[in-house]
Amino acid sequence: MERMDVIDAEGRVVGSAPREQVYGQKLPHRIVHVMVEHDGKVFLQRRSMQMKFMPGHLCTSAGGHVDAGEAPLDAARRELREELGLDSPLSLVAEFVFDDGHHRRIFLYRTRLDGEMRFSEREVVGGLFLAPEELGRLRDEPCHPQLLPCLEHLFPEQAGGARP
């Protein structure tokens, strides 16, 4: 059973709970997102149609939950390996709160593409590279709700154009 840390409003771990309980009771928790950059563009993954949550939607390059007892950086490295087969150095871009009625603390990392991506067949069906000035194209795409806030932190001068 997957367990996740539960956090308080300041981001401090105050306990842990099974994933189903975290989502069922909307307990605050931590999420990581990684943006892979190459030649001035960022890779956006398209989630597999097999995914329970938002199948076929565009999302950050890689991302997921921070497991109980796991550091956000370790979670970001794990998700990057699992979803894209990459083991690249990461740097923190931002830490921010995403709250759509369910409080999540987002840790956004970036890395440079330094190898060939190998998609997890279960999670990723491909994706696309977009330059910051092309982000407006996202208005016509189904997107994970955390994608645009992440892009706004990565490219603050251009990401507003991706908003509908």
Side-chain angles (χ1 to χ4, degrees), residues 121-158:
E121 291 180 22
R122 186 176 62 82
E123 296 186 50
V124 182
V125 293
L128 56 119
F129 279 95
L130 283 182
E133 61 273 10
E134 298 175 306
L135 295 179
R137 290 178 46 194
L138 296 178
R139 286 180 281 212
D140 300 325
E141 291 279 353
C143 293
H144 187 288
Q146 295 168 16
L147 174 60
L148 295 180
C150 286
L151 288 169
E152 288 170 355
H153 281 89
L154 191 65
F155 305 117
E157 14 357 285
Q158 284 97 359

Side-chain angles (χ1 to χ4, degrees), residues 59-126:
C59 193
T60 54
S61 305
H65 302 102
V66 179
D67 291 337
E70 187 177 35
L73 179 59
D74 293 334
R77 288 178 179 142
R78 174 178 50 77
E79 293 291 350
L80 187 62
R81 273 191 308 275
E82 286 176 6
E83 295 179 13
L84 302 181
L86 296 174
D87 197 10
S88 307
L90 301 175
S91 60
L92 183 66
V93 173
E95 177 181 339
F96 62 96
V97 171
F98 178 85
D99 195 330
D100 58 357
H102 188 171
H103 181 101
R104 269 95 23 127
R105 183 166 292 268
I106 306 291
F107 293 82
L108 175 62
Y109 296 89
R110 76 187 327 158
T111 190
R112 301 265 178 231
L113 183 61
D114 66 352
E116 186 177 333
M117 290 189 281
R118 294 178 309 283
F119 302 140
S120 162
E121 291 180 22
R122 186 176 62 82
E123 296 186 50
V124 182
V125 293

Side-chain angles (χ1 to χ4, degrees), residues 21-40:
Q21 182 181 356
V22 167
Y23 277 92
Q25 296 178 10
K26 295 188 176 183
L27 301 174
H29 62 282
R30 299 174 297 173
I31 300 282
V32 294
H33 286 288
V34 179
M35 298 300 246
V36 175
E37 297 171 295
H38 181 67
D39 288 339

